[in-house]
Amino acid sequence: DTGVSQDPRHKITKRGQNVTFRCDPISEHNRLYWYRQTLGQGPEFLTYFQNEAQLEKSRLLSDRFSAERPKGSFSTLEIQRTEQGDSAMYLCASSLGTSGENRETQYFGPGTRLLVL
Amino acid sequence: AQSVAQPEDQVNVAEGNPLTVKCTYSVSGNPYLFWYVQYPNRGLQFLLKYITGDNLVKGSYGFEAEFNKSQTSFHLKKPSALVSDSALYFCAVRPPGGNNRLAFGKGNQVVVIP
């Protein structure tokens, strides 16, 4: 399967702990996105990379959140000092960076469900 | 800022009947519009998109959607619903150029009754 993959699929942690999630995009895609989805809501944009450059961050991305894409391939999202309000599904998506209509479609991974106790 | 409204929380339809899931949007300029479907504990699967051209777009699994600029709508339709279409459907919008973020609606739960 050459789709977007995310690891882990589920994470349970205690408040105050740090967690890190990984996303592997579709191999030829140079754009990568992180979204957060809470119960009963649509996904909310967190941040966006083109290759290794982080080009946009949402106000939702507090100082406790940091995302990296060091070699322009996989990405990590770290949450420091987790809070119960961080409990959500964290979704990663990727898209082509070339011109044309195909570059506009974001393909999503299965998500990482985080529960902070 | 762009926004999407999906006015109905749940859509119930009998198997074999037409299915419509409504979406209206607010964005400057000519929008890019998308529909995604989400099954329980899964990520979002792309169904179809409108970028430019023909207002009626066809997508995966027999779904189609019509872009109506005057009504700022992009309703999702399927002529004959299947039980397997029961899922959560999300409409999303992004303005052309620059900003790459998608703004999603809150989603519609579709229940297809056998």
Side-chain angles (χ1 to χ4, degrees), chain B residues 44-92:
Chain B
L44 277 68
Q45 293 181 28
F46 169 72
L47 281 179
L48 50 78
K49 66 185 178 188
Y50 172 81
I51 304 296
T52 187
D54 194 348
N55 289 345
L56 183 65
V57 293
K58 295 185 182 297
S60 306
Y61 313 119
F63 284 94
E64 60 186 30
E66 185 167 11
F67 170 60
N68 187 318
K69 188 172 184 177
S70 63
Q71 297 185 2
T72 62
S73 67
F74 190 56
H75 301 330
L76 181 70
K77 299 181 180 182
K78 185 171 183 178
S80 177
L82 302 173
V83 172
S84 58
D85 293 328
S86 298
L88 196 53
Y89 290 80
F90 290 97
C91 182

Side-chain angles (χ1 to χ4, degrees), chain A:
Chain A
D1 181 51
T2 57
V4 179
S5 61
Q6 293 186 245
D7 184 71
R9 295 290 305 276
H10 304 273
K11 179 70 176 179
I12 300 174
T13 191
K14 293 182 179 179
R15 188 178 56 184
Q17 298 295 305
N18 299 344
V19 295
T20 299
F21 310 141
R22 176 180 170 125
C23 170
D24 287 88
I26 294 171
S27 59
E28 65 268 28
H29 287 184
N30 64 10
R31 296 185 176 185
L32 187 147
Y33 312 79
W34 286 98
Y35 292 82
R36 182 173 69 185
Q37 184 181 19
T38 54
L39 200 60
Q41 300 297 319
E44 297 172 294
F45 172 83
L46 292 178
T47 190
Y48 150 66
F49 290 85
Q50 178 152 326
N51 299 312
E52 65 275 10
Q54 189 174 18
L55 297 185
E56 193 173 351
K57 292 197 293 185
S58 162
R59 291 171 301 171
L60 293 175
L61 214 64
S62 75
D63 291 345
R64 296 185 298 106
F65 287 70
S66 63
E68 293 183 343
R69 195 182 183 198
K71 297 182 179 180
S73 55
F74 73 91
S75 175
T76 57
L77 177 68
E78 181 183 18
I79 309 175
Q80 297 181 327
R81 305 181 303 281
T82 53
E83 301 173 356
Q84 288 182 326
D86 296 332
S87 297
M89 174 83 90
Y90 290 84
L91 294 165
C92 177
S94 69
S95 68
L96 283 169
T98 56
S99 60
E101 290 190 12
N102 278 340
R103 73 180 176 95
E104 302 299 343
T105 302
Q106 295 181 24
Y107 295 92
F108 283 79
T112 294
R113 185 171 293 281
L114 172 67
L115 177 61
V116 181
L117 302 176

Side-chain angles (χ1 to χ4, degrees), chain B residues 1-109:
Chain B
Q2 61 265 34
S3 66
V4 173
Q6 294 182 247
E8 300 162 314
D9 287 335
Q10 182 163 312
V11 175
N12 296 325
V13 61
E15 185 177 23
N17 281 4
L19 169 63
T20 299
V21 188
K22 295 180 179 178
C23 171
T24 59
Y25 65 88
S26 173
V27 69
S28 302
N30 295 318
Y32 298 167
L33 294 156
F34 303 82
W35 277 101
Y36 288 84
V37 61
Q38 187 175 35
Y39 295 96
N41 298 313
R42 303 287 295 276
L44 277 68
Q45 293 181 28
F46 169 72
L47 281 179
L48 50 78
K49 66 185 178 188
Y50 172 81
I51 304 296
T52 187
D54 194 348
N55 289 345
L56 183 65
V57 293
K58 295 185 182 297
S60 306
Y61 313 119
F63 284 94
E64 60 186 30
E66 185 167 11
F67 170 60
N68 187 318
K69 188 172 184 177
S70 63
Q71 297 185 2
T72 62
S73 67
F74 190 56
H75 301 330
L76 181 70
K77 299 181 180 182
K78 185 171 183 178
S80 177
L82 302 173
V83 172
S84 58
D85 293 328
S86 298
L88 196 53
Y89 290 80
F90 290 97
C91 182
V93 65
R94 61 149 284 191
N99 189 325
N100 287 278
R101 62 176 69 185
L102 289 177
F104 285 87
K106 63 177 174 58
N108 284 122
Q109 182 68 51

